[in-house]
Amino acid sequence: MEILAPAGNKEMVHSAILAGADAIYMGTGDFNARAYTESFDDESLKEIIKLCHLHDVKLYITMNTLLYNHELEKAYELCHKLYDMDVDALIVQDLGLISILKKHLPEMELHASTQMNIHHFYGAKMMEDLGFQRIVLARETPWEEICRIKRELEIEVEIFVHGSLCVCQSGQCYFSQRIGGRSGNRGACAQPCRKNYRLYDEKQNLVADWGAYLSPRDLNTIEEMERFKEMQIDSLKIEGRMKTPEYVYSVVKNYRESRDHCSYNEKELEEVGNRGYTKGLLFDDFKHYGEKKRRGQKGRILGEILPGKKKTIRFYENVKKGDIFLIENQKGDKYPLTLTRDHKKNEKAHYSHIYDAKVPQQIRRVQNRSLKEECRRDLPKIPVNIQYSMEIGKNARFLCKAKGKSVEVMGDIVEGAKKIPLEKEKLEKQFTKLGNTPFEAMEICGKMDESIFYPVKKLNELRRLAMDKLLDEITQYPIHRSPGGVYHFTKEKRKERKTIFRDPINEESCFKMPYFMGGNEIDNWEEFKEDISSILLRNIGDLQWVKEKYPDKTIIADYPINILNTEAVHWANEWGFDEICLSIEAKPEEGVEIRKTTAGVLEYFTYGDTIVMTNVFCPFSLINEKCDRNCQKCYYQKGYLEDEFGEIYPVIRDGISHIYFHDKLDHRHHIQELKNGNFDYLRIQRGDFCE
């Protein structure tokens, strides 16, 4: 069972390896769902790959954003480069990129990103049929469904077990994009879910003042390790590419300890930052999923400020010089206090510059100097055995072995000494000076004639050559890969059709699949009415079930399927969609460009209300203590959120929460351009909040 660590920079890679991670996932700066992590040039990335492989750690690269047409070739070129660098796998979301990679880099291992929102057996089966080696299940997937997937399918299963949570269904959040153009599906989320809101009921009465009603607590499932082991989950994923090396080190170390030795340090996990903990929707932990008051990542309470003329701190445990605590002043603002010396448990200390601190108050350590130093220790060296042969008249030979690999280097002809001979101790000492290499000599032995001469400079050159070759030999895997194919952007010629305005949402002959259905729900779904001719899908995983059960129906891909480029349209046509509505993230000019290069039936969302968040969690449950998740009987079945700018967002509950944007998506000023683009349909959607 793999412990999978996040990394947003080189220091986090170092901390993950040091803590015992089995694999690391990171982005390259382009096309990954954390656009603001460190960007790596080719040489830096090669070094990281070598470092990981040297320590038997796999490296997965995230390519899990939606792509526009003009980005496809660049994205493929990057994938090809990563393939040649021996990256272990790519984590992908975009259907167009997936199609390209399956055709042109068939040996590249692909993992289906959580952004694809696969949360039931049929979706997992579809990913297996598509050729994915692994699926990163959506965070909303219940444990019972995960167990079914593990029992009945061969595909590897990866689940999130620790870290920050998105309240919205994976890959279904358009909130940030609609507010300011920063798309969460393209790695630039502005995190509107972490803001404060007011809650209103259906009659627009204020029912709850400012609170973090869309901000979940952090996930922590370390107590469930035995369940993970029993079900043989393939990979336990830790969130946190935007966090610190200390966080990565502490969380990875504790999850590894829990897996290997059934023990962990709960206090240490608390200290590296959390918003309060929940076991998440994975284990149906709605009771602890959210809280009204938004908490920052506050660390652990390790002291208190006592009343008195002088501001005195009493420490609950031993603390060290350089530790940083967070102090709240009388106004409610917070500032850091860096300790200037060590303090013992229960010791009282005076710090004059916290004169304005609120009293009494407990204070939290937000930076642990000891942990910071610990996670920056040098990585363990790799032991090397060295054998040499130094015989007069023959080439100098050195055989170096490490981690089951061996390399041999040969030098110049060994000569007899005319003056001062090379001593055996000198030779062995010179060849064990491995310095800043990742190796250390454990054993060195061989045969050597008496009274030989060999320049020390030549010995040093052989040593460097041997270590370079050994590093390449250990880290270059898989060794045998066929070269990938060449990709060129493809176009299809379409037949001219008359553009029709329609709203499939309100057509009686079109059945609308729910935005979220668990495996148990989908298995027990009632039969469609006979007059239903088409089915509108909002989740890619539902396609497998519909094709199996209703092969004669017209299948329409709604905008949450996130089809945003020509190749994705080609893929969707091949895999059974009869009609496609492009993602609402496609601007009119981009939609027209896609229409020019595709032949299938294509629709563009032109006007109407859009759902910007689909949440299993209900924001009103935080004020409804009697919530039993029976939305049909709930007073808050409909309501509103108000943000800090006074914008109002309607909320409808039907088992899950649908949060609508405050304004309609409106491309009516592009009507002529869209009509000239020859779309088959332009959607004018009449929803719950339209005129």
Side-chain angles (χ1 to χ4, degrees), residues 262-310:
C262 301
S263 65
Y264 61 93
N265 188 331
E266 185 177 356
K267 291 182 178 180
E268 190 174 288
L269 280 179
E270 180 185 350
E271 182 158 4
V272 291
N274 69 84
R275 300 177 178 90
Y277 282 133
T278 174
K279 291 185 181 180
L281 304 177
L282 176 68
F283 294 110
D284 211 22
D285 187 16
F286 281 86
K287 182 178 179 181
H288 303 103
Y289 193 75
E291 57 186 352
K292 300 175 188 178
K293 187 176 180 181
R294 186 169 74 93
R295 296 173 56 188
Q297 298 187 5
K298 295 181 180 178
R300 185 159 66 96
I301 295 173
L302 284 177
E304 62 179 337
I305 300 179
L306 304 174
K309 278 190 176 182
K310 290 184 177 180

Side-chain angles (χ1 to χ4, degrees), residues 54-172:
L54 179 66
H55 292 277
D56 299 319
V57 175
K58 292 184 177 182
L59 185 68
Y60 310 140
I61 298 295
T62 56
M63 295 283 293
N64 57 341
T65 60
L66 298 180
L67 301 172
Y68 292 118
N69 270 354
H70 68 273
E71 297 173 317
L72 287 172
E73 290 192 27
K74 182 182 177 183
Y76 175 72
E77 288 171 4
L78 176 56
C79 291
H80 203 305
K81 186 188 297 182
L82 295 169
Y83 174 83
D84 290 338
M85 288 182 184
D86 285 339
V87 162
D88 293 278
L90 298 178
I91 304 171
V92 290
Q93 172 195 10
D94 188 87
L95 296 171
L97 181 62
I98 292 166
S99 178
I100 294 168
L101 294 176
K102 296 309 293 184
K103 291 175 183 175
H104 300 283
L105 283 179
E107 292 184 44
M108 183 79 244
E109 182 169 321
L110 299 182
H111 297 176
S113 171
T114 188
Q115 291 295 105
M116 296 187 76
N117 194 26
I118 303 301
H119 55 261
H120 56 57
F121 168 81
Y122 294 96
K125 186 175 186 296
M126 181 178 176
M127 296 300 107
E128 185 173 79
D129 292 345
L130 275 170
F132 282 97
Q133 281 78 15
R134 177 182 294 184
I135 178 173
V136 188
L137 289 172
R139 295 170 177 87
E140 300 80 29
T141 313
W143 177 247
E144 293 74 17
E145 196 68 12
I146 294 172
C147 293
R148 180 186 178 188
I149 292 168
K150 278 299 300 176
R151 284 193 301 266
E152 299 185 31
L153 299 176
E154 296 297 323
I155 193 169
E156 291 182 8
V157 168
E158 178 177 308
I159 59 173
F160 280 91
V161 294
H162 197 98
S164 299
L165 287 168
C166 295
V167 70
C168 185
Q169 282 182 253
S170 305
Q172 301 295 292

Side-chain angles (χ1 to χ4, degrees), residues 222-223 225-226 229 250-269:
I222 199 166
E223 293 179 353
M225 186 61 70
E226 287 305 310
K229 290 160 73 172
S250 179
V251 178
V252 170
K253 183 182 72 172
N254 278 284
Y255 271 80
R256 175 144 189 155
E257 283 292 310
S258 179
R259 182 194 68 182
D260 296 347
H261 306 296
C262 301
S263 65
Y264 61 93
N265 188 331
E266 185 177 356
K267 291 182 178 180
E268 190 174 288
L269 280 179

Side-chain angles (χ1 to χ4, degrees), residues 73 173 305 308 383 438 444 452 513 523 525 542 586 668:
E73 290 192 27
C173 186
I305 300 179
I444 180 166
I452 69 165
M513 290 286 286
D523 277 331
W525 196 252
D542 293 346
R668 288 177 296 179

Side-chain angles (χ1 to χ4, degrees), residues 493-508:
K493 191 172 181 180
R494 66 177 297 275
K495 297 178 181 179
E496 295 298 320
R497 297 188 181 95
K498 182 181 178 181
T499 300
I500 298 173
F501 291 93
R502 73 163 182 181
D503 179 6
I505 300 293
N506 291 301
E507 291 180 8
E508 291 185 4

Side-chain angles (χ1 to χ4, degrees), residues 10-65:
K10 294 177 184 177
E11 290 75 21
M12 294 168 79
V13 172
H14 179 99
S15 295
I17 295 173
L18 193 62
D22 301 295
I24 293 170
Y25 68 100
M26 57 181 282
T28 63
D30 292 320
F31 312 123
N32 85 91
R34 293 292 182 271
Y36 305 112
T37 52
E38 184 176 329
S39 184
F40 302 96
D41 59 28
D42 290 355
E43 290 307 311
S44 296
L45 194 54
K46 286 177 183 176
E47 288 178 13
I48 289 172
I49 294 168
K50 280 192 173 185
L51 181 65
C52 289
H53 289 176
L54 179 66
H55 292 277
D56 299 319
V57 175
K58 292 184 177 182
L59 185 68
Y60 310 140
I61 298 295
T62 56
M63 295 283 293
N64 57 341
T65 60

